[in-house]
Amino acid sequence: MKSIELNEISRATVRRFVWKCYIASAIALFSKANYLTSASRCLFLYAALAAVVATFTRQRYSADSLNHWSEALWLSFLAAGLYLLL
């Protein structure tokens, strides 16, 4: 089986995604609302911010490299999944 090689932009995108998940989890721990609701809202906010960054930097969704649009999509799916767990 062949290993997947990521370019530097894709690695940075994955790192940003993981950090945003950690930060959303930490924020949700200190929230007075339900943990899953808080985490879902934080992740959705991060997804919206990633989409705004992608729009302002005129990025396009690419099959060759991961970018802010990929990150916004992942964050949205994760936020929706957490919201559905309620």
Side-chain angles (χ1 to χ4, degrees):
M1 182 194 294
K2 203 172 163 184
S3 66
I4 297 173
E5 296 289 327
L6 295 177
N7 60 17
E8 191 57 38
I9 296 170
S10 297
R11 278 191 222 112
T13 301
V14 172
R15 271 188 244 122
R16 275 193 317 269
F17 171 74
V18 170
W19 271 106
K20 288 177 182 178
C21 290
Y22 286 150
I23 292 169
S25 300
I27 290 171
L29 283 173
F30 296 108
S31 176
K32 292 183 180 181
N34 184 352
Y35 176 79
L36 292 177
T37 303
S38 299
S40 175
R41 287 179 182 164
C42 286
L43 290 170
F44 181 71
L45 179 63
Y46 281 140
L49 291 174
V52 167
V53 169
T55 302
F56 282 134
T57 58
R58 296 179 184 230
Q59 294 180 4
R60 297 199 181 251
Y61 193 78
S62 172
D64 299 331
S65 178
L66 304 173
N67 58 22
H68 284 90
W69 284 117
S70 305
E71 183 183 357
L73 183 67
W74 302 337
L75 290 166
S76 297
F77 281 146
L78 189 57
L82 290 176
Y83 187 76
L84 287 175
L85 285 175
L86 294 174

